Amino acid sequence: MPITEAAPGISLAYETFGDPADPAVLLVMGFGAQMIAWHEDFCRELAGRGRYVVRYDNRDCGLSTKFDEHPVDMGRFIAAVSTGDVPAARAMVPYTLRDMADDGLGLLTALGIERAHVVGASMGGMIAQTMAVAHPERVLTLTSMMSSTGEPEYGRSSPEAQALLLRPKPADRAGYIAAAEADMAWASKRYGDPALLRELAAQSYDRAYYPAGVGRQLGAIVLGGSRADALRELRVPTLVIHGLDDTLIDPSGGRRTAELVPGARLLLLPDMGHDRPRPLWPEIIDALVAHTG
């Protein structure tokens, strides 16, 4: 697995698919998830449609740089946010969504890619939006998938999904894999498959079990603030994809994103939750190919 320096002190693990001469598509993964959550078959199918696909581990995840020297007490952090003590909360978190966006752009630079189509899922959508806002000259197109705008009134989690997201997972391998079935709470109602969730959990655990990173990534999300004003001014061609079964980030997050970005196209998928079920890959990939053509 190649690893390259994306910024001073930040090394990112990445993988590429397809011909480097084809248009580059950067896939940005979400909260606590390694790049393997972009399924290898999905990447290969997209590459087979004439795209040079790059997937990578965000900082504090997978095989990329970890911030062990900055432990986050989630109880204290949530208490600070809940009481409105933003300075105290900010002091606990060592980086921002903008830093994470700069990581992705730094990876493109290291790979000799000046401009790319950027596709982000969930937290990755927030990072991708931030890339497009901060450096529109480097983003050919933006695709924001099952994400939101940072405005608290949009894209809310259901109480069950929020509780599940914040619940610590078992540290032992068997328990970690078994606990993955709970993610059915936000999966596609039609296509959700507990066996596939267990399979990804096993692969993730064996590749790089690292629960410490999720607190810092969550902090970056919570403190990211609203991107509404910036998205209103965005002039990057934008596609928004959201599943109507999504209970982790309510579809209002996708609708609001498309409403704010001038000229954005909104694709709502009835049988998608906070996941990308294989039966929907043809529709998703067709949309990505059309948008990045």
Side-chain angles (χ1 to χ4, degrees):
M1 187 68 58
I3 297 178
T4 190
E5 186 173 65
I10 302 295
S11 294
L12 300 182
Y14 70 95
E15 189 171 15
T16 63
F17 303 82
D19 186 344
D22 287 336
V25 175
L26 182 69
L27 300 180
V28 191
M29 190 27 69
F31 170 65
Q34 301 176 45
M35 67 178 177
I36 57 174
W38 292 109
H39 198 288
E40 182 173 335
D41 291 348
F42 179 92
C43 297
R44 294 196 184 282
E45 289 187 29
L46 183 56
R49 300 285 294 276
R51 300 295 181 268
Y52 182 53
V53 178
V54 182
R55 66 177 184 176
Y56 71 100
D57 289 327
N58 284 308
R59 60 169 66 191
D60 252 342
C61 190
L63 303 179
S64 291
T65 293
K66 312 295 195 304
F67 282 70
D68 293 316
E69 68 277 18
H70 293 284
V72 175
D73 182 325
M74 288 309 299
R76 287 181 55 231
F77 176 79
I78 292 171
V81 171
S82 300
T83 58
D85 191 351
V86 175
R90 200 173 299 281
M92 298 181 205
V93 180
Y95 53 78
T96 65
L97 287 178
R98 173 62 187 273
D99 294 321
M100 299 182 82
D102 288 345
D103 289 347
L105 294 172
L107 173 60
L108 292 177
T109 299
L111 296 178
I113 299 170
E114 183 178 350
R115 304 179 74 200
H117 302 280
V118 180
V119 180
S122 195
M123 179 187 74
M126 303 171 195
I127 295 170
Q129 291 173 25
T130 305
M131 289 184 193
V133 166
H135 289 283
E137 74 283 358
R138 301 204 60 188
V139 179
L140 289 166
T141 65
L142 166 67
T143 300
S144 181
M145 190 182 301
M146 54 192 186
S147 193
S148 193
T149 63
E151 299 168 279
E153 62 268 38
Y154 298 99
R156 290 182 175 179
S157 301
S158 70
E160 180 189 8
Q162 185 175 55
L164 177 62
L165 183 71
L166 297 176
R167 185 183 306 156
K169 294 187 177 180
D172 65 292
R173 186 179 188 275
Y176 184 89
I177 294 169
E181 292 188 22
D183 291 355
M184 286 293 294
W186 53 62
S188 164
K189 293 183 178 67
R190 181 177 181 184
Y191 298 121
D193 187 341
L196 292 178
L197 292 173
R198 291 194 302 270
E199 179 183 346
L200 178 59
Q203 293 171 349
S204 300
Y205 190 96
D206 293 341
R207 182 174 180 263
Y209 172 68
Y210 187 69
V214 298
R216 292 183 286 268
Q217 288 190 353
L218 181 62
I221 294 171
V222 171
L223 296 175
S226 170
R227 291 175 295 283
D229 290 342
L231 291 173
R232 287 189 183 95
E233 301 301 319
L234 189 62
R235 296 299 181 267
V236 173
T238 297
L239 169 66
V240 179
I241 301 175
H242 215 111
L244 293 177
D245 284 352
D246 196 338
T247 60
L248 187 58
I249 297 182
D250 183 84
S252 63
R255 291 191 179 99
R256 177 62 169 171
T257 305
E259 173 189 322
L260 290 175
V261 180
R265 180 192 168 208
L266 176 62
L267 175 60
L268 294 173
L269 297 176
D271 291 316
M272 188 170 98
H274 203 77
D275 54 4
R276 287 169 301 283
R278 189 181 285 264
L280 297 181
W281 287 2
E283 188 169 359
I284 294 171
I285 290 174
D286 281 350
L288 291 176
V289 170
H291 183 57
T292 60

mmCIF file with all atom_site columns, all heavy atoms in Angstrom, residues 129-155:
data_model
loop_
_atom_site.group_PDB
_atom_site.id
_atom_site.type_symbol
_atom_site.label_atom_id
_atom_site.label_alt_id
_atom_site.label_comp_id
_atom_site.label_asym_id
_atom_site.label_entity_id
_atom_site.label_seq_id
_atom_site.pdbx_PDB_ins_code
_atom_site.Cartn_x
_atom_site.Cartn_y
_atom_site.Cartn_z
_atom_site.occupancy
_atom_site.B_iso_or_equiv
_atom_site.pdbx_formal_charge
_atom_site.auth_seq_id
_atom_site.auth_comp_id
_atom_site.auth_asym_id
_atom_site.auth_atom_id
_atom_site.pdbx_PDB_model_num
ATOM 1   N N   . GLN A 1 129 ? -16.619 19.266 0.113   1.00 0.00 ? 129 GLN A N   1
ATOM 2   C CA  . GLN A 1 129 ? -17.171 20.622 0.013   1.00 0.00 ? 129 GLN A CA  1
ATOM 3   C C   . GLN A 1 129 ? -16.125 21.657 0.399   1.00 0.00 ? 129 GLN A C   1
ATOM 4   O O   . GLN A 1 129 ? -15.983 22.697 -0.259  1.00 0.00 ? 129 GLN A O   1
ATOM 5   C CB  . GLN A 1 129 ? -18.391 20.758 0.921   1.00 0.00 ? 129 GLN A CB  1
ATOM 6   C CG  . GLN A 1 129 ? -19.611 19.969 0.503   1.00 0.00 ? 129 GLN A CG  1
ATOM 7   C CD  . GLN A 1 129 ? -20.709 20.032 1.547   1.00 0.00 ? 129 GLN A CD  1
ATOM 8   O OE1 . GLN A 1 129 ? -20.784 20.980 2.342   1.00 0.00 ? 129 GLN A OE1 1
ATOM 9   N NE2 . GLN A 1 129 ? -21.575 19.030 1.574   1.00 0.00 ? 129 GLN A NE2 1
ATOM 10  N N   . THR A 1 130 ? -15.398 21.368 1.478   1.00 0.00 ? 130 THR A N   1
ATOM 11  C CA  . THR A 1 130 ? -14.376 22.297 1.958   1.00 0.00 ? 130 THR A CA  1
ATOM 12  C C   . THR A 1 130 ? -13.258 22.451 0.938   1.00 0.00 ? 130 THR A C   1
ATOM 13  O O   . THR A 1 130 ? -12.731 23.560 0.732   1.00 0.00 ? 130 THR A O   1
ATOM 14  C CB  . THR A 1 130 ? -13.828 21.820 3.315   1.00 0.00 ? 130 THR A CB  1
ATOM 15  O OG1 . THR A 1 130 ? -14.919 21.663 4.231   1.00 0.00 ? 130 THR A OG1 1
ATOM 16  C CG2 . THR A 1 130 ? -12.843 22.815 3.894   1.00 0.00 ? 130 THR A CG2 1
ATOM 17  N N   . MET A 1 131 ? -12.860 21.355 0.284   1.00 0.00 ? 131 MET A N   1
ATOM 18  C CA  . MET A 1 131 ? -11.872 21.446 -0.790  1.00 0.00 ? 131 MET A CA  1
ATOM 19  C C   . MET A 1 131 ? -12.343 22.394 -1.879  1.00 0.00 ? 131 MET A C   1
ATOM 20  O O   . MET A 1 131 ? -11.594 23.265 -2.354  1.00 0.00 ? 131 MET A O   1
ATOM 21  C CB  . MET A 1 131 ? -11.624 20.069 -1.410  1.00 0.00 ? 131 MET A CB  1
ATOM 22  C CG  . MET A 1 131 ? -10.863 19.072 -0.568  1.00 0.00 ? 131 MET A CG  1
ATOM 23  S SD  . MET A 1 131 ? -10.588 17.562 -1.549  1.00 0.00 ? 131 MET A SD  1
ATOM 24  C CE  . MET A 1 131 ? -10.055 16.431 -0.275  1.00 0.00 ? 131 MET A CE  1
ATOM 25  N N   . ALA A 1 132 ? -13.606 22.205 -2.314  1.00 0.00 ? 132 ALA A N   1
ATOM 26  C CA  . ALA A 1 132 ? -14.137 23.009 -3.415  1.00 0.00 ? 132 ALA A CA  1
ATOM 27  C C   . ALA A 1 132 ? -14.258 24.478 -3.038  1.00 0.00 ? 132 ALA A C   1
ATOM 28  O O   . ALA A 1 132 ? -14.014 25.361 -3.861  1.00 0.00 ? 132 ALA A O   1
ATOM 29  C CB  . ALA A 1 132 ? -15.492 22.452 -3.847  1.00 0.00 ? 132 ALA A CB  1
ATOM 30  N N   . VAL A 1 133 ? -14.626 24.739 -1.793  1.00 0.00 ? 133 VAL A N   1
ATOM 31  C CA  . VAL A 1 133 ? -14.760 26.121 -1.324  1.00 0.00 ? 133 VAL A CA  1
ATOM 32  C C   . VAL A 1 133 ? -13.395 26.793 -1.205  1.00 0.00 ? 133 VAL A C   1
ATOM 33  O O   . VAL A 1 133 ? -13.195 27.942 -1.635  1.00 0.00 ? 133 VAL A O   1
ATOM 34  C CB  . VAL A 1 133 ? -15.503 26.149 0.030   1.00 0.00 ? 133 VAL A CB  1
ATOM 35  C CG1 . VAL A 1 133 ? -15.349 27.499 0.707   1.00 0.00 ? 133 VAL A CG1 1
ATOM 36  C CG2 . VAL A 1 133 ? -16.976 25.798 -0.165  1.00 0.00 ? 133 VAL A CG2 1
ATOM 37  N N   . ALA A 1 134 ? -12.434 26.071 -0.620  1.00 0.00 ? 134 ALA A N   1
ATOM 38  C CA  . ALA A 1 134 ? -11.123 26.665 -0.352  1.00 0.00 ? 134 ALA A CA  1
ATOM 39  C C   . ALA A 1 134 ? -10.254 26.763 -1.605  1.00 0.00 ? 134 ALA A C   1
ATOM 40  O O   . ALA A 1 134 ? -9.495  27.717 -1.768  1.00 0.00 ? 134 ALA A O   1
ATOM 41  C CB  . ALA A 1 134 ? -10.395 25.850 0.719   1.00 0.00 ? 134 ALA A CB  1
ATOM 42  N N   . HIS A 1 135 ? -10.362 25.761 -2.475  1.00 0.00 ? 135 HIS A N   1
ATOM 43  C CA  . HIS A 1 135 ? -9.506  25.725 -3.673  1.00 0.00 ? 135 HIS A CA  1
ATOM 44  C C   . HIS A 1 135 ? -10.315 25.294 -4.897  1.00 0.00 ? 135 HIS A C   1
ATOM 45  O O   . HIS A 1 135 ? -10.068 24.235 -5.471  1.00 0.00 ? 135 HIS A O   1
ATOM 46  C CB  . HIS A 1 135 ? -8.321  24.782 -3.449  1.00 0.00 ? 135 HIS A CB  1
ATOM 47  C CG  . HIS A 1 135 ? -7.317  25.311 -2.476  1.00 0.00 ? 135 HIS A CG  1
ATOM 48  N ND1 . HIS A 1 135 ? -6.408  26.296 -2.806  1.00 0.00 ? 135 HIS A ND1 1
ATOM 49  C CD2 . HIS A 1 135 ? -7.092  25.000 -1.178  1.00 0.00 ? 135 HIS A CD2 1
ATOM 50  C CE1 . HIS A 1 135 ? -5.660  26.572 -1.748  1.00 0.00 ? 135 HIS A CE1 1
ATOM 51  N NE2 . HIS A 1 135 ? -6.050  25.808 -0.753  1.00 0.00 ? 135 HIS A NE2 1
ATOM 52  N N   . PRO A 1 136 ? -11.258 26.120 -5.342  1.00 0.00 ? 136 PRO A N   1
ATOM 53  C CA  . PRO A 1 136 ? -12.095 25.741 -6.484  1.00 0.00 ? 136 PRO A CA  1
ATOM 54  C C   . PRO A 1 136 ? -11.295 25.533 -7.766  1.00 0.00 ? 136 PRO A C   1
ATOM 55  O O   . PRO A 1 136 ? -11.729 24.791 -8.654  1.00 0.00 ? 136 PRO A O   1
ATOM 56  C CB  . PRO A 1 136 ? -13.065 26.920 -6.617  1.00 0.00 ? 136 PRO A CB  1
ATOM 57  C CG  . PRO A 1 136 ? -12.380 28.068 -5.941  1.00 0.00 ? 136 PRO A CG  1
ATOM 58  C CD  . PRO A 1 136 ? -11.602 27.450 -4.821  1.00 0.00 ? 136 PRO A CD  1
ATOM 59  N N   . GLU A 1 137 ? -10.118 26.152 -7.825  1.00 0.00 ? 137 GLU A N   1
ATOM 60  C CA  . GLU A 1 137 ? -9.300  25.999 -9.029  1.00 0.00 ? 137 GLU A CA  1
ATOM 61  C C   . GLU A 1 137 ? -8.737  24.587 -9.184  1.00 0.00 ? 137 GLU A C   1
ATOM 62  O O   . GLU A 1 137 ? -8.280  24.210 -10.268 1.00 0.00 ? 137 GLU A O   1
ATOM 63  C CB  . GLU A 1 137 ? -8.149  27.014 -9.011  1.00 0.00 ? 137 GLU A CB  1
ATOM 64  C CG  . GLU A 1 137 ? -7.004  26.722 -8.057  1.00 0.00 ? 137 GLU A CG  1
ATOM 65  C CD  . GLU A 1 137 ? -7.295  27.032 -6.580  1.00 0.00 ? 137 GLU A CD  1
ATOM 66  O OE1 . GLU A 1 137 ? -8.411  27.519 -6.283  1.00 0.00 ? 137 GLU A OE1 1
ATOM 67  O OE2 . GLU A 1 137 ? -6.401  26.795 -5.738  1.00 0.00 ? 137 GLU A OE2 1
ATOM 68  N N   . ARG A 1 138 ? -8.798  23.792 -8.122  1.00 0.00 ? 138 ARG A N   1
ATOM 69  C CA  . ARG A 1 138 ? -8.261  22.437 -8.172  1.00 0.00 ? 138 ARG A CA  1
ATOM 70  C C   . ARG A 1 138 ? -9.350  21.376 -8.272  1.00 0.00 ? 138 ARG A C   1
ATOM 71  O O   . ARG A 1 138 ? -9.047  20.196 -8.421  1.00 0.00 ? 138 ARG A O   1
ATOM 72  C CB  . ARG A 1 138 ? -7.384  22.170 -6.948  1.00 0.00 ? 138 ARG A CB  1
ATOM 73  C CG  . ARG A 1 138 ? -6.198  23.141 -6.842  1.00 0.00 ? 138 ARG A CG  1
ATOM 74  C CD  . ARG A 1 138 ? -5.081  22.556 -6.037  1.00 0.00 ? 138 ARG A CD  1
ATOM 75  N NE  . ARG A 1 138 ? -4.574  21.329 -6.637  1.00 0.00 ? 138 ARG A NE  1
ATOM 76  C CZ  . ARG A 1 138 ? -3.696  20.532 -6.032  1.00 0.00 ? 138 ARG A CZ  1
ATOM 77  N NH1 . ARG A 1 138 ? -3.263  20.834 -4.823  1.00 0.00 ? 138 ARG A NH1 1
ATOM 78  N NH2 . ARG A 1 138 ? -3.272  19.435 -6.629  1.00 0.00 ? 138 ARG A NH2 1
ATOM 79  N N   . VAL A 1 139 ? -10.605 21.782 -8.144  1.00 0.00 ? 139 VAL A N   1
ATOM 80  C CA  . VAL A 1 139 ? -11.721 20.836 -8.136  1.00 0.00 ? 139 VAL A CA  1
ATOM 81  C C   . VAL A 1 139 ? -12.513 20.994 -9.429  1.00 0.00 ? 139 VAL A C   1
ATOM 82  O O   . VAL A 1 139 ? -13.217 21.987 -9.628  1.00 0.00 ? 139 VAL A O   1
ATOM 83  C CB  . VAL A 1 139 ? -12.617 21.060 -6.902  1.00 0.00 ? 139 VAL A CB  1
ATOM 84  C CG1 . VAL A 1 139 ? -13.791 20.090 -6.906  1.00 0.00 ? 139 VAL A CG1 1
ATOM 85  C CG2 . VAL A 1 139 ? -11.796 20.896 -5.618  1.00 0.00 ? 139 VAL A CG2 1
ATOM 86  N N   . LEU A 1 140 ? -12.401 20.006 -10.316 1.00 0.00 ? 140 LEU A N   1
ATOM 87  C CA  . LEU A 1 140 ? -13.115 20.052 -11.589 1.00 0.00 ? 140 LEU A CA  1
ATOM 88  C C   . LEU A 1 140 ? -14.618 19.952 -11.384 1.00 0.00 ? 140 LEU A C   1
ATOM 89  O O   . LEU A 1 140 ? -15.392 20.703 -11.967 1.00 0.00 ? 140 LEU A O   1
ATOM 90  C CB  . LEU A 1 140 ? -12.631 18.912 -12.492 1.00 0.00 ? 140 LEU A CB  1
ATOM 91  C CG  . LEU A 1 140 ? -11.215 19.047 -13.047 1.00 0.00 ? 140 LEU A CG  1
ATOM 92  C CD1 . LEU A 1 140 ? -10.745 17.718 -13.635 1.00 0.00 ? 140 LEU A CD1 1
ATOM 93  C CD2 . LEU A 1 140 ? -11.164 20.143 -14.103 1.00 0.00 ? 140 LEU A CD2 1
ATOM 94  N N   . THR A 1 141 ? -15.019 18.991 -10.558 1.00 0.00 ? 141 THR A N   1
ATOM 95  C CA  . THR A 1 141 ? -16.416 18.848 -10.151 1.00 0.00 ? 141 THR A CA  1
ATOM 96  C C   . THR A 1 141 ? -16.439 18.362 -8.706  1.00 0.00 ? 141 THR A C   1
ATOM 97  O O   . THR A 1 141 ? -15.478 17.753 -8.218  1.00 0.00 ? 141 THR A O   1
ATOM 98  C CB  . THR A 1 141 ? -17.200 17.834 -11.015 1.00 0.00 ? 141 THR A CB  1
ATOM 99  O OG1 . THR A 1 141 ? -16.660 16.522 -10.813 1.00 0.00 ? 141 THR A OG1 1
ATOM 100 C CG2 . THR A 1 141 ? -17.158 18.200 -12.488 1.00 0.00 ? 141 THR A CG2 1
ATOM 101 N N   . LEU A 1 142 ? -17.546 18.618 -8.047  1.00 0.00 ? 142 LEU A N   1
ATOM 102 C CA  . LEU A 1 142 ? -17.779 18.157 -6.679  1.00 0.00 ? 142 LEU A CA  1
ATOM 103 C C   . LEU A 1 142 ? -18.960 17.211 -6.674  1.00 0.00 ? 142 LEU A C   1
ATOM 104 O O   . LEU A 1 142 ? -19.994 17.495 -7.284  1.00 0.00 ? 142 LEU A O   1
ATOM 105 C CB  . LEU A 1 142 ? -18.065 19.357 -5.772  1.00 0.00 ? 142 LEU A CB  1
ATOM 106 C CG  . LEU A 1 142 ? -18.660 19.063 -4.382  1.00 0.00 ? 142 LEU A CG  1
ATOM 107 C CD1 . LEU A 1 142 ? -17.646 18.329 -3.508  1.00 0.00 ? 142 LEU A CD1 1
ATOM 108 C CD2 . LEU A 1 142 ? -19.110 20.364 -3.713  1.00 0.00 ? 142 LEU A CD2 1
ATOM 109 N N   . THR A 1 143 ? -18.810 16.077 -5.988  1.00 0.00 ? 143 THR A N   1
ATOM 110 C CA  . THR A 1 143 ? -19.952 15.212 -5.696  1.00 0.00 ? 143 THR A CA  1
ATOM 111 C C   . THR A 1 143 ? -20.023 15.033 -4.183  1.00 0.00 ? 143 THR A C   1
ATOM 112 O O   . THR A 1 143 ? -19.094 14.521 -3.561  1.00 0.00 ? 143 THR A O   1
ATOM 113 C CB  . THR A 1 143 ? -19.836 13.836 -6.371  1.00 0.00 ? 143 THR A CB  1
ATOM 114 O OG1 . THR A 1 143 ? -19.760 14.004 -7.791  1.00 0.00 ? 143 THR A OG1 1
ATOM 115 C CG2 . THR A 1 143 ? -21.043 12.976 -6.036  1.00 0.00 ? 143 THR A CG2 1
ATOM 116 N N   . SER A 1 144 ? -21.112 15.496 -3.605  1.00 0.00 ? 144 SER A N   1
ATOM 117 C CA  . SER A 1 144 ? -21.341 15.387 -2.162  1.00 0.00 ? 144 SER A CA  1
ATOM 118 C C   . SER A 1 144 ? -22.385 14.306 -1.942  1.00 0.00 ? 144 SER A C   1
ATOM 119 O O   . SER A 1 144 ? -23.540 14.450 -2.336  1.00 0.00 ? 144 SER A O   1
ATOM 120 C CB  . SER A 1 144 ? -21.818 16.738 -1.611  1.00 0.00 ? 144 SER A CB  1
ATOM 121 O OG  . SER A 1 144 ? -22.019 16.675 -0.215  1.00 0.00 ? 144 SER A OG  1
ATOM 122 N N   . MET A 1 145 ? -21.957 13.215 -1.314  1.00 0.00 ? 145 MET A N   1
ATOM 123 C CA  . MET A 1 145 ? -22.809 12.031 -1.174  1.00 0.00 ? 145 MET A CA  1
ATOM 124 C C   . MET A 1 145 ? -23.173 11.806 0.293   1.00 0.00 ? 145 MET A C   1
ATOM 125 O O   . MET A 1 145 ? -22.303 11.815 1.156   1.00 0.00 ? 145 MET A O   1
ATOM 126 C CB  . MET A 1 145 ? -22.052 10.815 -1.723  1.00 0.00 ? 145 MET A CB  1
ATOM 127 C CG  . MET A 1 145 ? -22.862 9.550  -1.865  1.00 0.00 ? 145 MET A CG  1
ATOM 128 S SD  . MET A 1 145 ? -21.885 8.135  -2.472  1.00 0.00 ? 145 MET A SD  1
ATOM 129 C CE  . MET A 1 145 ? -21.301 8.762  -4.048  1.00 0.00 ? 145 MET A CE  1
ATOM 130 N N   . MET A 1 146 ? -24.447 11.644 0.571   1.00 0.00 ? 146 MET A N   1
ATOM 131 C CA  . MET A 1 146 ? -24.990 11.406 1.921   1.00 0.00 ? 146 MET A CA  1
ATOM 132 C C   . MET A 1 146 ? -24.311 12.285 2.970   1.00 0.00 ? 146 MET A C   1
ATOM 133 O O   . MET A 1 146 ? -23.844 11.823 4.003   1.00 0.00 ? 146 MET A O   1
ATOM 134 C CB  . MET A 1 146 ? -24.921 9.921  2.305   1.00 0.00 ? 146 MET A CB  1
ATOM 135 C CG  . MET A 1 146 ? -23.601 9.228  2.210   1.00 0.00 ? 146 MET A CG  1
ATOM 136 S SD  . MET A 1 146 ? -23.853 7.433  2.379   1.00 0.00 ? 146 MET A SD  1
ATOM 137 C CE  . MET A 1 146 ? -22.154 6.878  2.414   1.00 0.00 ? 146 MET A CE  1
ATOM 138 N N   . SER A 1 147 ? -24.302 13.599 2.683   1.00 0.00 ? 147 SER A N   1
ATOM 139 C CA  . SER A 1 147 ? -23.618 14.550 3.551   1.00 0.00 ? 147 SER A CA  1
ATOM 140 C C   . SER A 1 147 ? -24.536 15.729 3.841   1.00 0.00 ? 147 SER A C   1
ATOM 141 O O   . SER A 1 147 ? -25.748 15.670 3.606   1.00 0.00 ? 147 SER A O   1
ATOM 142 C CB  . SER A 1 147 ? -22.302 14.999 2.887   1.00 0.00 ? 147 SER A CB  1
ATOM 143 O OG  . SER A 1 147 ? -21.479 15.667 3.811   1.00 0.00 ? 147 SER A OG  1
ATOM 144 N N   . SER A 1 148 ? -23.954 16.819 4.362   1.00 0.00 ? 148 SER A N   1
ATOM 145 C CA  . SER A 1 148 ? -24.761 17.965 4.742   1.00 0.00 ? 148 SER A CA  1
ATOM 146 C C   . SER A 1 148 ? -23.910 19.232 4.706   1.00 0.00 ? 148 SER A C   1
ATOM 147 O O   . SER A 1 148 ? -22.758 19.204 4.267   1.00 0.00 ? 148 SER A O   1
ATOM 148 C CB  . SER A 1 148 ? -25.378 17.753 6.132   1.00 0.00 ? 148 SER A CB  1
ATOM 149 O OG  . SER A 1 148 ? -26.390 18.707 6.377   1.00 0.00 ? 148 SER A OG  1
ATOM 150 N N   . THR A 1 149 ? -24.487 20.321 5.192   1.00 0.00 ? 149 THR A N   1
ATOM 151 C CA  . THR A 1 149 ? -23.894 21.654 5.026   1.00 0.00 ? 149 THR A CA  1
ATOM 152 C C   . THR A 1 149 ? -23.246 22.210 6.293   1.00 0.00 ? 149 THR A C   1
ATOM 153 O O   . THR A 1 149 ? -22.698 23.304 6.258   1.00 0.00 ? 149 THR A O   1
ATOM 154 C CB  . THR A 1 149 ? -24.979 22.646 4.591   1.00 0.00 ? 149 THR A CB  1
ATOM 155 O OG1 . THR A 1 149 ? -25.967 22.727 5.642   1.00 0.00 ? 149 THR A OG1 1
ATOM 156 C CG2 . THR A 1 149 ? -25.653 22.197 3.305   1.00 0.00 ? 149 THR A CG2 1
ATOM 157 N N   . GLY A 1 150 ? -23.350 21.488 7.386   1.00 0.00 ? 150 GLY A N   1
ATOM 158 C CA  . GLY A 1 150 ? -22.845 22.005 8.658   1.00 0.00 ? 150 GLY A CA  1
ATOM 159 C C   . GLY A 1 150 ? -23.854 22.845 9.411   1.00 0.00 ? 150 GLY A C   1
ATOM 160 O O   . GLY A 1 150 ? -23.588 23.276 10.538  1.00 0.00 ? 150 GLY A O   1
ATOM 161 N N   . GLU A 1 151 ? -25.027 23.063 8.827   1.00 0.00 ? 151 GLU A N   1
ATOM 162 C CA  . GLU A 1 151 ? -26.101 23.764 9.523   1.00 0.00 ? 151 GLU A CA  1
ATOM 163 C C   . GLU A 1 151 ? -26.844 22.752 10.402  1.00 0.00 ? 151 GLU A C   1
ATOM 164 O O   . GLU A 1 151 ? -27.314 21.726 9.910   1.00 0.00 ? 151 GLU A O   1
ATOM 165 C CB  . GLU A 1 151 ? -27.070 24.388 8.525   1.00 0.00 ? 151 GLU A CB  1
ATOM 166 C CG  . GLU A 1 151 ? -26.447 25.404 7.599   1.00 0.00 ? 151 GLU A CG  1
ATOM 167 C CD  . GLU A 1 151 ? -27.383 25.757 6.456   1.00 0.00 ? 151 GLU A CD  1
ATOM 168 O OE1 . GLU A 1 151 ? -27.447 24.982 5.476   1.00 0.00 ? 151 GLU A OE1 1
ATOM 169 O OE2 . GLU A 1 151 ? -28.056 26.793 6.567   1.00 0.00 ? 151 GLU A OE2 1
ATOM 170 N N   . PRO A 1 152 ? -26.967 23.015 11.698  1.00 0.00 ? 152 PRO A N   1
ATOM 171 C CA  . PRO A 1 152 ? -27.494 21.991 12.611  1.00 0.00 ? 152 PRO A CA  1
ATOM 172 C C   . PRO A 1 152 ? -28.933 21.591 12.345  1.00 0.00 ? 152 PRO A C   1
ATOM 173 O O   . PRO A 1 152 ? -29.354 20.497 12.736  1.00 0.00 ? 152 PRO A O   1
ATOM 174 C CB  . PRO A 1 152 ? -27.346 22.641 13.991  1.00 0.00 ? 152 PRO A CB  1
ATOM 175 C CG  . PRO A 1 152 ? -27.251 24.112 13.728  1.00 0.00 ? 152 PRO A CG  1
ATOM 176 C CD  . PRO A 1 152 ? -26.574 24.244 12.408  1.00 0.00 ? 152 PRO A CD  1
ATOM 177 N N   . GLU A 1 153 ? -29.695 22.428 11.668  1.00 0.00 ? 153 GLU A N   1
ATOM 178 C CA  . GLU A 1 153 ? -31.109 22.101 11.445  1.00 0.00 ? 153 GLU A CA  1
ATOM 179 C C   . GLU A 1 153 ? -31.323 21.170 10.257  1.00 0.00 ? 153 GLU A C   1
ATOM 180 O O   . GLU A 1 153 ? -32.455 20.736 10.009  1.00 0.00 ? 153 GLU A O   1
ATOM 181 C CB  . GLU A 1 153 ? -31.942 23.380 11.273  1.00 0.00 ? 153 GLU A CB  1
ATOM 182 C CG  . GLU A 1 153 ? -31.568 24.230 10.079  1.00 0.00 ? 153 GLU A CG  1
ATOM 183 C CD  . GLU A 1 153 ? -30.542 25.310 10.402  1.00 0.00 ? 153 GLU A CD  1
ATOM 184 O OE1 . GLU A 1 153 ? -29.616 25.046 11.199  1.00 0.00 ? 153 GLU A OE1 1
ATOM 185 O OE2 . GLU A 1 153 ? -30.678 26.412 9.842   1.00 0.00 ? 153 GLU A OE2 1
ATOM 186 N N   . TYR A 1 154 ? -30.271 20.873 9.515   1.00 0.00 ? 154 TYR A N   1
ATOM 187 C CA  . TYR A 1 154 ? -30.381 19.990 8.356   1.00 0.00 ? 154 TYR A CA  1
ATOM 188 C C   . TYR A 1 154 ? -29.515 18.746 8.550   1.00 0.00 ? 154 TYR A C   1
ATOM 189 O O   . TYR A 1 154 ? -28.457 18.798 9.167   1.00 0.00 ? 154 TYR A O   1
ATOM 190 C CB  . TYR A 1 154 ? -29.950 20.709 7.078   1.00 0.00 ? 154 TYR A CB  1
ATOM 191 C CG  . TYR A 1 154 ? -30.795 21.910 6.745   1.00 0.00 ? 154 TYR A CG  1
ATOM 192 C CD1 . TYR A 1 154 ? -30.369 23.195 7.073   1.00 0.00 ? 154 TYR A CD1 1
ATOM 193 C CD2 . TYR A 1 154 ? -32.031 21.759 6.119   1.00 0.00 ? 154 TYR A CD2 1
ATOM 194 C CE1 . TYR A 1 154 ? -31.153 24.300 6.780   1.00 0.00 ? 154 TYR A CE1 1
ATOM 195 C CE2 . TYR A 1 154 ? -32.819 22.856 5.824   1.00 0.00 ? 154 TYR A CE2 1
ATOM 196 C CZ  . TYR A 1 154 ? -32.378 24.132 6.155   1.00 0.00 ? 154 TYR A CZ  1
ATOM 197 O OH  . TYR A 1 154 ? -33.161 25.227 5.867   1.00 0.00 ? 154 TYR A OH  1
ATOM 198 N N   . GLY A 1 155 ? -29.984 17.629 7.976   1.00 0.00 ? 155 GLY A N   1
ATOM 199 C CA  . GLY A 1 155 ? -29.194 16.408 8.010   1.00 0.00 ? 155 GLY A CA  1
ATOM 200 C C   . GLY A 1 155 ? -29.051 15.796 9.390   1.00 0.00 ? 155 GLY A C   1
ATOM 201 O O   . GLY A 1 155 ? -28.062 15.116 9.681   1.00 0.00 ? 155 GLY A O   1
#
